[in-house]
Amino acid sequence: MTDADTTTATADWQAWQKSWDRQQEWYLPDREERFTIMLDMVEALVGTAPRVLDLACGTGSITARLLARFPEATSTGVDLDPALLAIAEGTFAGDERVALVTADLKDPDWPAKLPYDSYDAVLTATALHWLHREPLADLYGRVAGLVRDGGVFMNADHMIDETTPRINAAERAQRHARMDQAKRDGVLDWSEWWQLAAKDPVLAEPTARRYEIYGDHADGDMPSAAWHARVLREKGFGEARPVWCSPSDTLLLALK
């Protein structure tokens, strides 16, 4: 494809957002519920016009729901994935409430790229499980430095309690049986979604760059909610506990 072809190609960004949502919901059927509780707690603790950092924002799923519910909010989305950021950039083009930043959260200097020194809320969902415990703890320290006093951090993600192996095995078996049925019904999984992105005239190049950065997929550690709460307190938050959970996932809130 020539540069001219690239500049004239367009994409249906809302269609890509919906496609991403459907793919994510295959793994997380209660995904919207966690977003709702997350925004409930934003409203309860920092109000309806917050300055938000959407951490590892991907396509901007949290930002889209934030602005739909709180039109006076502002959001800074930060991520490293070129393809998902391309969808976010296309989705929020022209919206002065949204700033998007390309940064590697494993780089200790990533906060310097942000447009603000502090935020009312830092929010993330199903994104940090690719980090191992030590870099995740380091990241929590940097997040603590970005949240204002009285502000909040929330992380919705896989948090596994290793003290309950039989419960974990039963939950996992049931969840995967449901996923297998949905797959037979035609739902796209992670790999199939990325195969489509690689064929799109607009997303093909950023998808290729994405695979250079990440490879196919990488998981780090998935420690328990108790581990997250303890580390967040150690890093400077005054309170931390789950505010929602499913059999496999937890929304953990830390208050500065």
Side-chain angles (χ1 to χ4, degrees), residues 195-239:
Q195 289 169 17
L196 284 182
K199 296 175 183 177
D200 183 87
V202 176
L203 292 178
E205 190 272 336
T207 296
R209 285 192 283 121
R210 182 234 177 245
Y211 274 92
E212 291 175 1
I213 295 170
Y214 294 108
D216 183 44
H217 194 269
D219 279 329
D221 297 329
M222 301 182 196
S224 68
W227 181 93
H228 288 268
R230 174 180 60 80
V231 171
L232 285 162
R233 289 192 187 98
E234 290 172 354
K235 295 298 183 179
F237 287 91
E239 301 177 13

Side-chain angles (χ1 to χ4, degrees), residues 14 16-25 28 31-32 34-36 38-39 52 54-69 75 77 79 84-85 87-89 91-92 98 100 123-127 193:
Q14 289 303 319
W16 277 110
Q17 289 283 5
K18 291 177 181 177
S19 176
W20 178 257
D21 285 343
R22 299 295 84 76
Q23 179 257 124
Q24 289 287 286
E25 287 163 2
L28 306 162
R31 185 168 176 258
E32 290 301 328
R34 78 190 62 199
F35 286 146
T36 298
M38 180 180 280
L39 296 182
V52 170
D54 187 350
L55 193 68
C57 65
T59 66
S61 297
I62 291 175
T63 292
R65 288 155 180 81
L66 171 79
L67 298 179
R69 178 161 169 175
S75 180
D79 208 300
L84 298 185
L85 279 174
I87 295 173
E89 289 163 357
T91 300
F92 300 108
V98 180
L100 294 169
L123 309 177
T124 188
T126 326
W193 191 90

Side-chain angles (χ1 to χ4, degrees), residues 114-136:
L114 302 177
Y116 303 105
D117 293 331
S118 68
Y119 289 84
D120 301 307
V122 178
L123 309 177
T124 188
T126 326
L128 302 186
H129 58 266
W130 53 272
L131 289 172
H132 292 283
R133 279 174 172 80
E134 185 174 345
L136 180 56

Side-chain angles (χ1 to χ4, degrees), residues 161-173:
D161 187 338
E162 295 178 352
T163 68
T164 60
R166 290 181 296 164
I167 296 172
N168 298 349
E171 180 281 323
R172 186 180 187 279

